[in-house]
């Protein structure tokens, strides 16, 4: 029985069959490319979506029915990578570090908006890594290697920060959720990498930061909670030697603290009047003041003593604590040291704690004197959030003035994977504090108005390691396949359909005499040659072929295809067939096959060929898919 290939060409018995379409689709290169597509989608999108799914508010919020909590996210230490981060690195590494850290920050912050949609976002400082080093018109970097970077470079870094965070703040919209007054993003709190620390702060650098991000010392009333942000970096200059020489540094924050308590009261009054549908401030009486009394006079305010909202302190530098104070089980670098069997948790655990130390332009915790001053002047502090350490830490300070059983301070993880933590993250805060017209809590428990959750981001370094392992597997499989093919143990899938052993078109011998001596090479049952008038027996040199099967082609074949006289035949006319062999004689075809076999690579060449082709195909397909995923993030 005659067999036909996918193109309708008859195949002689014993000819190698072309692999099926499914077999060709399941080649090693295609399977590896599909595996890379799945891995890249997981690493660039799926793993981010999965982490955001675990951070969903309804998975950890525990409020009473009917609550409409205010949802807030605390972001710490993005520290955009710049020349200050890895000085002296060769050319390709620093640009790659910039690209991948920026892409990671952009992805996580954008998904934070689209998946969680917080009502308010606070940044806790260290927005840049080398912001303190970039000179202004009146200052220059204290480090000689960075003095060539000026204010223009800082402005480019500012635009870079805006492109990562501010540009994606509205990815899911800007409309407030039901029961909320609106959405806000506040990034005015500086870090030591933005300004420097204590005496290292330069007034020009601080003024530039405040001009673009807002006042460092501020009070915000959000969801019946009072958030107090302080520039603890400049204030720390007061605790060093000869503070009178640096008064221009610490004086603004000291004056802010001196009036923080009364300022809180006025803002609480304003908020309660808004709740009652009144004007934020009452009308003022018209009084006349002498010129020498005008400057120190203050605007009148209501004298009613109202209940305060719970106060939350925001500071880049953590508050003072005794050395070795444990940070709890969620600290990534070092988990708590297990206590002896039957013993309570250790009261001092140096490896699990924030180190109480200092160095050039940094100090891990504030001094005890400054911490006491902050707690006393602000008053009623129940919670505190800080950054700087890059890792998570949860402690309760019992030795400072507070609004309850102590100040619970959470040091927020860095949101960047380049800051020494494998799992960056943010802290999510849910606020719910319904009050009456006088500010008294309606739920009867003013200490249970806030819930927190550590939201972890993907391990980017772990993702790169998985990519490297998959590349090793890809290369190993391709090398193994190439070795087996070179050794003749495996036959590669055919890249094109196998040729038929017999020619498609009919052929004759070169002359009548040779035709009588050599048998015809065409198969008597060849469907192509079965019923054409051009192949009838009335022409010399052609044998009659009775129609045995129905012709596969309805159109007649062309007579004399490609016929021309050879040079030897031009001088002497010989009796010859009117048709020339199409495709050459059997001996010519055998020679052509031998030439093709000689051209085929063998040995090392064959091995290299079967490595380059599938590896290149995988790289091209995976690269196109990766570029598409990156483009979608930028779009």
């Amino acid at each position: 029985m005659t067999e036909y290939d996918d193109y309708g060409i008859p195949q002689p018995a014993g000819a190698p069959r072309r692999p099926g379409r499914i077999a060709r689709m399941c080649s090693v290169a295609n399977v590896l490319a599909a595996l890379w597509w799945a891995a890249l989608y997981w690493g660039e999108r799926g793993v981010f979506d999965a982490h955001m799914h675990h951070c969903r508010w309804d998975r950890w919020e525990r409020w009473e029915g009917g609550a409409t909590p205010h949802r807030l996210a605390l972001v710490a230490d993005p520290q955009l990578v710049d020349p200050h981060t890895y000085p002296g690195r060769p050319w390709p590494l620093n640009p790659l570090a910039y690209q991948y850290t920026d892409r990671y920050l952009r992805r996580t912050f954008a998904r934070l908006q689209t998946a969680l949609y917080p009502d308010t976002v606070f940044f806790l400082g260290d927005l840049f890594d080398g912001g303190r080093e970039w000179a202004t018109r009146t200052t220059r970097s204290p480090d000689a290697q960075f003095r060539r970077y000026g204010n223009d470079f800082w402005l480019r870094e500012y635009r870079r920060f805006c492109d990562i965070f501010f540009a994606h703040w509205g990815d899911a919209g800007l409309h407030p959720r039901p029961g909320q007054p609106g959405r806000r993003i506040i990034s005015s709190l500086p870090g030591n990498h933005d300004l420097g620390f204590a005496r290292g702060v330069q007034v020009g650098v601080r003024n530039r930061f405040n001009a673009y991000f807002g006042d460092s010392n501020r009070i915000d009333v959000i969801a019946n909670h009072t958030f107090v942000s302080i520039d603890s970096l400049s204030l720390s200059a007061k605790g060093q030697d000869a503070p009178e020489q640096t008064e221009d540094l610490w004086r603004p924050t000291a004056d802010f603290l001196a009036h923080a308590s009364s300022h809180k009261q006025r803002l609480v009054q304003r908020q309660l009047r808004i709740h009652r549908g009144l004007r934020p401030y009452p009308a003022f009486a018209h009084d006349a003041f002498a010129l020498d009394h005008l400057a120190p006079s203050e605007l009148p305010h209501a004298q009613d003593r109202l209940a305060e909202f719970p106060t939350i302190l925001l500071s880049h530098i953590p508050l003072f604590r005794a050395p070795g104070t444990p940070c709890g089980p969620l600290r990534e670098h070092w988990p708590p040291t297990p206590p002896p069997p039957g013993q309570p948790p250790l009261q001092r655990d140096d490896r699990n704690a924030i180190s109480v130390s200092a160095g050039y332009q940094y100090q891990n915790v504030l001094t005890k004197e400054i911490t006491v001053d902050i707690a006393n002047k602000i008053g009623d502090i129940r919670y505190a959030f800080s950054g700087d350490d890059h890792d998570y830490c949860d402690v309760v300070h019992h030795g400072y003035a507070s609004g309850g059983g102590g100040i619970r301070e959470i040091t927020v993880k860095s949101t960047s994977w380049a800051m020494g933590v494998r799992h960056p993250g943010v802290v999510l805060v849910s606020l719910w504090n319904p009050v009456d017209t006088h500010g008294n809590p309606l739920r009867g428990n003013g200490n249970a108005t806030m819930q927190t959750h550590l939201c972890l981001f993907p391990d980017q370094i772990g993702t790169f390691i998985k990519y490297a392992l998959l590349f090793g597997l890809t290369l190993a499989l391709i090398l193994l396949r190439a070795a087996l093919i070179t050794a003749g143990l495996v036959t590669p899938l055919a890249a094109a359909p196998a040729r038929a052993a017999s020619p498609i078109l009919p052929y004759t011998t070169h002359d009548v005499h040779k035709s009588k001596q050599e048998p015809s090479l065409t198969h008597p049952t060849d469907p192509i040659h079965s019923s054409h008038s051009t192949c009838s027996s009335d022409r010399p040199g052609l044998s009659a072929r009775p129609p045995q099967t129905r012709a596969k082609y309805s159109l007649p074949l062309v007579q004399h295809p490609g016929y021309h006289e050879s040079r030897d035949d031009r001088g002497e006319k010989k009796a010859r067939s009117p048709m020339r062999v199409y495709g050459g004689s059997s001996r010519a075809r055998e020679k052509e096959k031998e030439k093709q076999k000689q051209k085929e690579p063998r040995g090392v060449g064959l091995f290299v060929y079967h490595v380059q082709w599938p590896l290149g195909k995988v790289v091209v397909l995976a690269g196109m898919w990766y570029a598409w995923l990156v483009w979608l993030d930028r779009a």
Side-chain angles (χ1 to χ4, degrees):
M1 179 179 180
T2 304
E3 296 183 358
Y4 300 89
D5 64 3
D6 295 340
Y7 299 89
I9 299 175
Q11 299 293 305
R17 300 193 60 179
R18 176 184 174 89
R21 184 174 300 174
I22 296 179
R24 295 194 301 273
M25 292 176 61
C26 294
S27 65
V28 172
N30 290 346
V31 171
L32 288 174
L35 184 61
W36 270 101
W37 279 25
L40 288 172
Y41 184 85
W42 170 86
E44 304 301 318
R45 282 185 169 272
V47 68
F48 289 88
D49 296 336
H51 277 73
M52 291 301 171
H53 176 76
H54 288 296
C55 296
R56 283 170 40 194
W57 304 94
D58 56 0
R59 294 178 66 93
W60 56 271
E61 280 182 327
R62 295 295 181 268
W63 298 114
E64 300 173 358
T68 56
H70 187 90
R71 293 165 174 172
L72 183 145
L74 294 164
V75 181
D77 300 89
Q79 269 182 248
L80 301 187
V81 175
D82 55 31
H84 177 266
T85 310
Y86 306 112
R89 272 194 175 185
W91 165 74
L93 297 181
N94 262 344
L96 286 176
Y98 299 166
Q99 292 294 326
Y100 277 99
T101 53
D102 287 4
R103 186 178 303 150
Y104 184 90
L105 292 170
R106 187 181 298 109
R107 282 177 176 170
T108 52
F109 190 79
R111 281 165 174 76
L112 183 70
Q113 308 310 314
T114 56
L116 302 180
Y117 201 67
D119 302 308
T120 302
V121 171
F122 270 106
F123 284 83
L124 297 179
D126 274 357
L127 311 185
F128 309 109
D129 188 70
R132 67 192 180 206
E133 306 292 345
W134 320 137
T136 67
R137 292 185 177 90
T138 59
T139 65
R140 67 174 187 172
S141 174
D143 195 333
Q145 64 177 322
F146 300 119
R147 286 175 185 168
R148 60 191 179 94
Y149 297 95
N151 192 61
D152 291 340
F153 186 83
W154 188 92
L155 290 175
R156 288 197 295 271
E157 294 298 287
Y158 173 75
R159 286 191 291 268
R160 182 178 159 204
F161 182 90
C162 295
D163 179 62
I164 295 173
F165 296 106
F166 294 160
H168 292 276
W169 166 242
D171 279 1
L174 296 175
H175 300 288
R177 293 188 307 110
Q180 305 303 323
R183 301 189 72 211
R184 286 195 285 185
I185 179 170
I186 302 172
S187 57
S188 60
L189 190 68
N192 59 303
H193 284 266
D194 301 317
L195 304 186
F197 182 78
R199 287 177 175 271
V201 176
Q202 300 185 77
V203 175
V205 174
R206 184 178 64 189
N207 291 342
R208 178 180 61 189
F209 185 90
N210 293 343
Y212 282 88
F213 290 102
D215 292 336
S216 303
N217 302 299
R218 59 183 294 159
I219 299 178
D220 298 277
V221 177
I222 299 174
N224 296 338
H225 290 76
T226 305
F227 287 80
V228 181
S229 304
I230 62 168
D231 177 10
S232 55
L233 310 166
S234 301
L235 184 63
S236 296
K238 186 179 181 180
Q240 297 186 348
D241 297 335
E244 65 278 358
Q245 299 178 2
T246 57
E247 186 173 358
D248 57 339
L249 297 180
W250 55 263
R251 175 59 65 185
T253 306
D255 291 343
F256 170 80
L257 287 175
H259 301 89
S261 181
S262 59
H263 193 187
K264 284 197 310 177
Q265 284 290 321
R266 290 196 296 270
L267 290 178
V268 169
Q269 291 176 4
R270 175 179 179 272
Q271 193 65 33
L272 292 176
R273 289 180 63 86
I274 294 175
H275 288 342
R276 297 199 300 267
L278 303 176
R279 295 173 59 184
Y281 293 104
F284 300 124
H286 296 274
D287 294 327
F289 292 90
L291 291 179
D292 55 343
H293 293 90
L294 183 60
S297 63
E298 296 182 358
L299 294 175
H301 293 278
Q303 300 299 321
D304 298 337
R305 186 70 180 177
L306 301 176
E308 289 192 13
F309 293 157
T311 301
I312 301 172
L313 173 67
L314 303 180
S315 168
H316 178 71
I317 306 297
L319 303 178
F320 178 82
R321 76 283 312 277
T325 302
C327 284
L330 297 181
R331 189 167 177 81
E332 179 180 321
H333 284 309
W334 295 103
T337 302
Q343 298 294 324
L346 300 179
Q347 296 299 315
R348 175 163 183 159
D349 190 353
D350 289 321
R351 73 171 193 168
N352 183 245
I354 294 178
S355 174
V356 181
S357 58
Y360 172 72
Q361 295 279 39
Y362 79 90
Q363 187 171 292
N364 290 337
V365 297
L366 298 174
T367 63
K368 187 173 183 179
E369 294 75 18
I370 290 180
T371 303
V372 170
D373 188 47
I374 291 173
N376 292 338
K377 291 182 177 179
I378 294 178
D380 195 38
I381 300 177
R382 302 195 183 189
Y383 307 96
F385 294 95
S386 57
D388 185 67
D389 186 66
H390 297 176
D391 204 352
Y392 188 84
C393 185
D394 190 347
V395 300
V396 178
H397 302 281
H398 296 286
Y400 308 122
S402 63
I407 302 174
R408 183 190 176 190
E409 180 185 5
I410 294 178
T411 301
V412 180
K413 267 194 166 189
S414 172
T415 189
S416 172
W417 68 276
M419 293 298 116
V421 288
R422 293 284 295 270
H423 287 278
V426 297
V427 169
L428 303 178
V429 181
S430 181
L431 304 172
W432 173 239
N433 183 31
V435 297
D436 59 17
T437 57
H438 298 285
N440 299 311
L442 296 176
R443 299 171 60 242
N445 185 4
N447 294 324
T449 62
M450 186 179 76
Q451 298 175 10
T452 63
H453 177 74
L454 174 59
C455 177
L456 295 177
F457 293 159
D459 178 8
Q460 186 63 49
I461 297 178
T463 300
F464 288 155
I465 293 175
K466 292 181 177 64
Y467 288 164
L469 293 176
L470 181 57
F471 181 78
L473 176 63
T474 301
L475 189 59
L477 290 177
I478 291 177
L479 290 174
L480 177 61
R481 173 181 176 272
L484 294 176
I485 292 176
T486 304
L489 300 178
V490 172
T491 301
L493 296 176
R499 288 186 178 273
S502 60
I504 298 176
L505 297 178
Y507 59 89
T508 65
T509 57
H510 290 288
D511 51 63
V512 178
H513 302 286
K514 185 177 291 187
S515 175
K516 294 180 180 179
Q517 297 174 1
E518 294 182 3
S520 174
L521 297 179
T522 54
H523 198 280
T525 61
D526 192 338
I528 301 178
H529 310 142
S530 58
S531 59
H532 298 297
S533 60
T534 57
C535 299
S536 60
S537 59
D538 59 350
R539 304 182 65 86
L542 293 178
S543 58
R545 293 175 176 84
Q548 307 229 351
T549 59
R550 184 177 180 181
K552 199 171 182 65
Y553 302 96
S554 58
L555 297 176
L557 299 176
V558 180
Q559 298 184 23
H560 317 297
Y563 172 75
H564 64 278
E565 291 184 346
S566 63
R567 294 179 180 178
D568 296 336
D569 296 338
R570 289 175 183 173
E572 180 182 354
K573 297 293 184 180
K574 296 182 178 180
R576 62 179 67 247
S577 168
M579 295 188 67
R580 199 174 162 82
V581 176
Y582 187 85
S585 63
S586 176
R587 183 177 300 176
R589 290 197 304 275
E590 293 297 332
K591 290 182 179 180
E592 186 66 23
K593 290 181 180 180
E594 291 296 332
K595 291 180 180 179
Q596 292 295 334
K597 289 182 179 180
Q598 291 177 3
K599 292 180 180 180
E600 292 179 357
R602 296 178 181 275
V604 177
L606 181 62
F607 178 83
V608 172
Y609 172 79
H610 284 289
V611 170
Q612 288 180 340
W613 166 247
L615 184 61
K617 184 177 182 180
V618 172
V619 169
V620 169
L621 293 178
M624 293 173 60
W625 177 241
Y626 180 75
W628 172 254
L629 294 175
V630 171
W631 182 84
L632 287 179
D633 282 335
R634 294 287 300 181

